[in-house]
Amino acid sequence: GAVVSQHPSWVICKSGTSVKIECRSLDFQATTMFWYRQFPKQSLMLMATSNEGSKATYEQGVEKDKFLINHASLTLSTLTVTSAHPEDSSFYICSARRDRGPTGEQFFGPGTRLTVL
Amino acid sequence: GQQVMQIPQYQHVQEGEDFTTYCNSSTTLSNIQWYKQRPGGHPVFLIQLVKSGEVKKQKRLTFQFGEAKKNSSLHITATQTTDVGTYFCAGRLLGNFNKFYFGSGTKLNVKP
């Protein structure tokens, strides 16, 4: 149990276009979903926290107008990279928490590799 | 910015040697989690520590949470090639409900 999927697994797009990435919890309802960005050989940088039915909370330095997050249901969150540029190329990973308490583990999706030409 | 630091960045060991990675926070943590990420994969949850001074073991892995809840360590006894990967700690700051901040990770390479 506790499987999180991401779609697409990789995407290549032209500069200036928008890309949507989906994160789904397949066999549980996620109270909270998180979006991370990971550069090659580096750690996961938390971008935003997403709660179903409410606005996402963005980390300092993350542009909310550029990285649009929609948490439409307890099993789906989407991240849209608007007007993508080459510097947005990265590995984007989502995670989901099942428990409402503060100590629940995060279940990670497989990640989406975004390459902006 | 991120407030959880981790050392070392890389560790190369001979199979059978021990390995330790350390995680430090400038502020008190509510709890800390450890994850392992294999090359090309995504992070997988290993364990969570909540109590001050807590020690937990999983076979050859020993996890510790400092008394002040500002540091943690992961120790692997007698490493095996299957231990290869990057180990991340993720700390939740006190009063910061929900969010975990990841350490920079320690990449472990085990030579057979």
Side-chain angles (χ1 to χ4, degrees):
Chain A
V3 177
V4 176
S5 70
Q6 264 184 258
H7 178 80
S9 56
W10 60 271
V11 57
I12 301 173
C13 69
K14 293 182 179 180
S15 185
T17 61
S18 294
V19 175
K20 180 185 282 188
I21 302 170
E22 292 187 349
C23 177
R24 293 182 184 271
S25 55
L26 298 185
D27 51 2
F28 67 99
Q29 291 186 329
T31 57
T32 307
M33 287 183 169
F34 303 89
W35 286 96
Y36 294 86
R37 184 173 178 175
Q38 187 175 33
F39 292 99
K41 301 181 180 180
Q42 293 190 29
S43 185
L44 289 83
M45 302 293 290
L46 179 63
M47 298 175 65
T49 303
S50 172
N51 293 293
E52 185 263 340
S54 63
K55 290 184 179 180
T57 303
Y58 290 82
E59 292 299 299
Q60 192 173 10
V62 178
E63 299 176 58
K64 62 180 181 180
D65 293 332
K66 179 164 187 64
F67 299 99
L68 299 178
I69 292 173
N70 187 320
H71 198 145
S73 72
L74 283 172
T75 59
L76 173 65
S77 177
T78 60
L79 167 68
T80 301
V81 183
T82 62
S83 187
H85 291 285
E87 57 265 29
D88 298 324
S89 298
S90 190
F91 192 51
Y92 292 88
I93 307 179
C94 72
S95 71
R97 288 185 62 217
R98 177 174 52 192
D99 303 321
R100 290 195 175 275
T103 59
E105 67 181 274
Q106 298 179 60
F107 299 96
F108 283 84
T112 297
R113 174 77 59 193
L114 170 63
T115 302
V116 185
L117 303 176
Chain B
Q2 306 291 297
Q3 303 185 41
V4 178
M5 292 140 289
Q6 197 173 346
I7 58 170
Q9 189 174 5
Y10 300 99
Q11 187 79 58
H12 301 272
V13 300
Q14 198 72 38
E15 189 172 24
E17 293 181 339
D18 292 355
F19 159 77
T20 305
T21 173
Y22 301 90
C23 195
N24 291 284
S25 170
S26 55
T27 57
T28 303
L29 299 172
S30 174
N31 50 303
I32 195 163
Q33 298 176 345
W34 284 91
Y35 292 81
K36 177 182 179 181
Q37 185 175 22
R38 293 183 182 276
H42 59 276
V44 174
F45 177 82
L46 293 177
I47 209 159
Q48 176 168 261
L49 303 170
V50 179
K51 299 177 183 176
S52 169
E54 189 170 15
V55 177
K56 286 188 177 180
K57 292 190 175 184
Q58 287 180 351
K59 297 182 180 178
R60 295 179 293 105
L61 278 62
T62 302
F63 303 85
Q64 290 188 322
F65 201 9
E67 293 290 340
K69 300 183 75 173
K70 287 186 175 182
N71 56 73
S72 181
S73 65
L74 158 58
H75 180 82
I76 302 179
T77 304
T79 54
Q80 300 175 359
T81 54
T82 53
D83 296 325
V84 165
T86 300
Y87 293 84
F88 293 100
C89 62
R92 186 174 77 90
L93 306 181
L94 266 183
N96 203 338
F97 182 70
N98 258 341
K99 295 192 292 188
F100 282 83
Y101 292 98
F102 278 73
S104 51
T106 296
K107 186 175 182 179
L108 172 64
N109 186 37
V110 180
K111 292 178 285 186

